[in-house]
Amino acid sequence: MPTRDPPPTLRRHIFFVAGFDPMDSAGHHRIFQRETARFAGVWNIRATADATPHPTPTGALWNARAEGPGWATQTTFELLAWGDLVAAEMKRSRISHILGGIRALGDMIATGTILRYFRFSHRYGIFFLLTYVTLLLIFAAALGAGWLGVRLLADHGLWPALAAGLAAAGLVYAGAMALFGSRLRLKQSLDLAEFSVDFVRRRHPAIDLRIAAFAERVREVVRAGGVDEVVIAGHSLGAMHAVCLLARALEADPTLPQALSVRLLTVGNTSAKFALHPAGGWLREAGQKVYDAGGIYWVEFQARDDLVSFYKVNPVTLRHAGNSNGLLRPFVRQVRIRDMMSAGTFRRYRFDLMRLHCQFFLANDIRAAYDFYAFVLAPVTFDALVHEIGGPLEIFAEDGSIIPAERRGSA
């Protein structure tokens, strides 16, 4: 891959597809402003972003500018939004969620998908079952507290004993959900499991329509040109959507990569959870189509300390993937979440699995070999940044200037 330094002002357009999260465009924009400021402070550069997002037919976009000694970048960051569809899923009735969750779990068991999770990534298998095990433990603790309440007031009559049992069970359940439910995001995890089964079985026509709209929007921007590169980035379940939309765009226009430098970045990728399902053939085909498009450089970052994604699993072949060299596609590289955080920050979030998972699309609070905002604001091309095994560490000097290419290491 080419590693020549770019012209003084690098122009890029980044599309971002988030995971299963109900956050709206305004929320994503607030995160972008906060993380841009953090990135600028860590890497000793100057960076600004639009004060308000600009609506688009498929989400919203805003512009950012970064600069340092002798360089500048102009980036359009465009959110391909589907948080409204997630919010609609999560607002359904409790009975609907319970029945849907039971149906999803039954599907995963009956099709042998859970066993495949453990076969290909025991870490993800543990994460998948963690939600259900935690719920069972919470219910068991609540029932135990209720039984104890009944026993303690058994001599006072049936109704006082039952009232005490129900009160004890309710208090323990509410307390446990407050303590563990939010940290483990149990409701969101249950909704995601149900959504995943429905998605892989194509029971979500609204998602199909949204992905088709995303694909058309990407084609529109690529054909318009005016930038040095277009990057499609997907996080978690959004990585699967990014692959699908790019496959749709290539199906409509196979010459798309010839029009402009088009790159795909998948981080915290959970696409294997769909590809390993017997009904996931259409998703495997989408990944293969993107893989076969030689003009698209596909890079995936994985982390051992991210239990929510598939570690050391190639997203196309579903085989073991160690750190590959930069000539392979997808170029799979393993990093560590703990290396992206200061010691204090990591201690704070060590047991918050979803927060660690989300670090893949946030800025770091220390310098590291991976920083998502380097792909957004760094003064070198996507290819040059990926080519360096030290990533932004080998791009930025201490004063924020660009380290000359001849002084950098290489992957």
Side-chain angles (χ1 to χ4, degrees), residues 7 12 34 36 135 137 186 189 230 232 250 259 274 371 379 381 388:
R12 60 167 62 93
R34 182 192 69 202
T36 294
L135 280 174
L137 290 174
L186 292 180
S189 295
V230 171
I232 299 120
L250 289 167
F274 308 103
D371 193 317
T381 63
E388 307 298 344

Side-chain angles (χ1 to χ4, degrees), residues 64-85:
R65 178 178 175 84
E67 56 186 17
W71 65 267
T73 61
Q74 293 178 345
T75 300
T76 297
F77 189 94
E78 182 165 348
L79 175 71
L80 296 175
W82 65 292
D84 58 315
L85 301 180

Side-chain angles (χ1 to χ4, degrees), residues 212-234:
F214 291 167
E216 186 58 34
R217 174 59 182 160
V218 168
R219 287 182 58 209
E220 177 186 331
V221 169
V222 172
R223 286 301 179 190
V227 293
D228 298 300
E229 63 184 13
V230 171
V231 178
I232 299 120

Side-chain angles (χ1 to χ4, degrees), residues 80-280:
L80 296 175
W82 65 292
D84 58 315
L85 301 180
V86 177
E89 282 288 309
M90 298 181 71
K91 287 178 181 177
R92 289 170 24 235
S93 69
R94 182 166 306 213
I95 292 297
S96 175
H97 282 302
I98 292 174
L99 295 176
I102 293 173
R103 176 168 52 85
L105 183 60
D107 184 293
M108 292 287 193
I109 294 173
T111 58
T113 304
I114 294 178
L115 294 178
R116 294 187 193 94
Y117 289 167
F118 278 94
R119 176 186 171 191
F120 286 84
S121 176
H122 68 278
R123 299 171 64 81
Y124 185 82
I126 291 171
F127 166 75
F128 181 84
L129 290 181
L130 180 62
T131 296
Y132 297 97
V133 171
T134 303
L135 280 174
L136 285 175
L137 290 174
I138 289 175
F139 281 126
L143 288 173
W147 176 83
L148 183 60
V150 170
R151 289 295 302 271
L152 289 175
L153 292 184
D155 294 337
H156 293 76
L158 176 62
W159 295 113
L162 286 177
L166 289 174
L171 286 172
V172 169
Y173 176 81
M177 288 298 291
L179 182 61
F180 301 108
S182 58
R183 181 175 290 273
L184 297 177
R185 304 190 190 185
L186 292 180
K187 184 180 185 304
Q188 189 170 354
S189 295
L190 290 170
D191 293 343
L192 175 56
E194 179 187 358
F195 175 88
S196 298
V197 170
D198 287 342
F199 174 69
V200 78
R201 291 194 177 277
R202 311 207 79 165
R203 296 173 185 147
H204 274 295
I207 291 292
D208 289 339
L209 290 174
R210 191 68 57 92
I211 290 176
F214 291 167
E216 186 58 34
R217 174 59 182 160
V218 168
R219 287 182 58 209
E220 177 186 331
V221 169
V222 172
R223 286 301 179 190
V227 293
D228 298 300
E229 63 184 13
V230 171
V231 178
I232 299 120
H235 173 254
S236 195
L237 193 155
M240 185 77 261
H241 290 342
V243 171
C244 288
L245 75 87
L246 195 47
R248 291 274 189 102
L250 289 167
E251 186 176 331
D253 187 357
T255 65
L256 194 69
Q258 301 172 18
L260 194 65
S261 175
V262 179
R263 300 297 184 249
L264 175 62
L265 174 65
T266 52
V267 294
N269 193 352
T270 61
S271 61
K273 71 183 292 183
F274 308 103
L276 290 172
H277 193 286

Side-chain angles (χ1 to χ4, degrees), residues 29-80:
H29 178 255
R30 286 193 297 271
I31 289 176
F32 186 91
Q33 289 184 305
R34 182 192 69 202
E35 300 304 306
T36 294
R38 177 177 289 126
F39 181 84
V42 168
W43 297 96
N44 197 23
I45 66 170
R46 296 180 299 278
T48 58
D50 287 347
T52 57
H54 310 288
T56 69
T58 52
L61 64 79
W62 47 87
N63 298 298
R65 178 178 175 84
E67 56 186 17
W71 65 267
T73 61
Q74 293 178 345
T75 300
T76 297
F77 189 94
E78 182 165 348
L79 175 71
L80 296 175

